[in-house]
Amino acid sequence: MSTTAKVIEGKATPRGKYPHIKRAGDFLFVSGTSSRRADNTLVGAEVDAMGTFKLDIRAQTAAVIENIRDILRSMDADLRDVVEISTFLVNMNDFAGYNEVYGSFFDHDGPTRTTVAVHRLPHPHLLIEIKAIAYKPLKPLTA
């Protein structure tokens, strides 16, 4: 079995020594992904003129899923190839907003999913992190 790991240019640099994505045979494993941009700012974490942060679970969820889509595309895959999602929410009160946005990307025939609450994520303004597994055969399946 062949493996390939990639850190994707133009995406937020991983906060440790790990890839954004790793291929193991026909499976692609996407590391935990947030709404962090390449410049280290966060989608869904806006500060007003008084210095108060407004955190938006819907904006963060959309950005995370779009980041995962971009990472998958670096290996010629897409969201339709995702077979499993694991989501980490800092606050389960954000579940409804997360679920609403998630449903705009996936349907009942989409990936299996697990959602858990965590104490915190690597940045205090992150509300969500998602990791994914996709199935994308190296060779197209033949009938």
Side-chain angles (χ1 to χ4, degrees), residues 30-63:
V30 179
S31 294
T33 303
S34 72
S35 67
R36 192 163 56 100
R37 299 178 183 108
D39 67 0
N40 286 321
T41 60
L42 302 173
V43 174
E46 309 301 327
V47 64
D48 66 18
M50 300 299 290
T52 303
F53 274 89
K54 179 182 178 227
L55 305 179
D56 183 340
I57 188 61
R58 286 172 176 82
Q60 285 195 21
T61 301

Side-chain angles (χ1 to χ4, degrees), residues 60-81:
Q60 285 195 21
T61 301
V64 171
I65 295 171
E66 289 163 359
N67 281 337
I68 290 171
R69 180 182 57 210
D70 293 345
I71 291 166
L72 287 166
R73 286 179 175 169
S74 77
M75 295 274 212
D76 297 320
D78 210 323
L79 292 176
R80 70 182 165 278
D81 301 308

Side-chain angles (χ1 to χ4, degrees), residues 103-119:
S104 69
F105 288 92
F106 299 106
D107 203 332
H108 290 289
D109 63 347
T112 63
R113 184 180 90 176
T114 301
T115 304
V116 298
V118 295
H119 177 66

